[in-house]
Amino acid sequence: MLRAREDALRTSDKLRAMGCTPIVSPVLEIMAAGALIPPGDYDAVIASSAKAIECGGGAEPYKALPFHVVGARTAKAVEARGWRPEIMAGNAEAILPLLLARYSGAAHFLYLAGRDRQAALEAGLTGAGHRITSVIVYEARAAASLTDEACSALRARAVDFALHYSRRSAEIFLSLAEAAGLSGALPGIAHIALSADVAAPLEALGLDVTRAEEPDEDQLLAVLARRVG
């Protein structure tokens, strides 16, 4: 498990229920950025990660606005704070056409964002004539190394599967494995990626990669269940 620690521990419980033994080695550490949200004539708020809700407390004055989110966990985080998500989709590419259909005239969006993110959502909205104010409320810092447990398991060729949730975390994992002299262990692992974009750096090295049918964790774990047999 290469996700940020809190997410990795939550997924680890699911893996144990499937009969798997998880090894947690977060390659990202989530940190609040402490950014202030500028006052504005916003028409709606967008968040693409639950981390943005947890770290974006400054959005409280705008809770009466329509709130649109990417991901079921983001929706739950919004609801836990008493806000009501109106449009929800599994990824940025899926929510963009829904937003464009909802807002036919030019609108001003407040986007609670992470420092490292894909540009598709922002580019799509601005390209359609909308205005978007992106506020970086959190950042995901790269880990300095894999955990000792993960290194030992890789060295012993005792890792059967690696689950990859973002392109950046996959790239960091590859870099950390190389730095530890463990790149030779990676071809012996079945890598499962959340999407084609996540899979790209792994496939570029010729690794055994299976993509989830849809970019959500249930689909990723369904692939694992089939591979475990």
Side-chain angles (χ1 to χ4, degrees):
M1 282 306 308
L2 304 167
R3 310 183 75 186
R5 181 165 299 278
E6 180 182 339
D7 294 331
L9 293 177
R10 183 176 55 255
T11 301
S12 291
D13 291 337
K14 299 179 182 180
L15 295 175
R16 291 189 187 92
M18 295 170 61
C20 300
T21 301
I23 299 172
V24 175
S25 184
V27 298
L28 295 170
E29 180 183 6
I30 305 300
M31 307 288 291
L36 297 177
I37 296 176
D41 55 343
Y42 305 114
D43 297 300
V45 184
I46 302 173
S48 56
S49 168
K51 299 295 187 301
I53 306 304
E54 296 160 4
C55 299
E60 189 72 20
Y62 305 102
K63 66 184 300 181
L65 294 177
F67 217 112
H68 310 307
V69 302
V70 174
R73 282 201 63 242
T74 313
K76 290 179 180 177
V78 167
E79 292 168 346
R81 284 158 176 76
W83 302 342
R84 181 178 300 174
E86 295 191 11
I87 295 178
M88 195 274 279
N91 56 57
E93 290 77 9
I95 200 172
L96 179 58
L98 301 179
L99 292 172
L100 296 179
R102 165 74 178 272
Y103 297 92
S104 56
H108 185 186
F109 295 95
L110 169 61
Y111 182 21
L112 305 179
R115 187 174 302 280
D116 298 285
R117 62 191 185 278
Q118 295 182 352
L121 180 56
E122 290 154 288
L125 288 172
T126 55
H130 298 293
R131 181 182 172 195
I132 184 164
T133 296
S134 301
V135 181
I136 297 172
V137 295
Y138 76 97
E139 58 182 318
R141 297 179 182 174
S145 64
L146 298 173
T147 63
D148 291 342
E149 181 185 13
C151 288
S152 295
L154 287 168
R155 196 170 291 114
R157 302 297 197 272
V159 177
D160 298 304
F161 299 93
L163 307 183
H164 301 276
Y165 286 76
S166 75
R167 181 175 184 135
R168 183 166 178 246
S169 64
E171 290 171 341
I172 293 171
F173 168 67
L174 294 173
S175 177
L176 294 179
E178 181 179 12
L182 295 169
S183 296
L186 303 186
I189 299 172
H191 299 266
I192 303 177
L194 195 68
S195 68
D197 183 62
V198 177
L202 304 163
E203 292 174 339
L205 295 179
L207 299 177
D208 172 14
V209 186
T210 305
R211 308 172 186 174
E213 294 181 3
E214 297 292 337
D216 65 60
E217 183 174 66
D218 287 343
Q219 293 296 320
L220 185 147
L221 295 180
V223 173
L224 174 63
R226 291 195 293 270
R227 294 294 296 265
V228 170

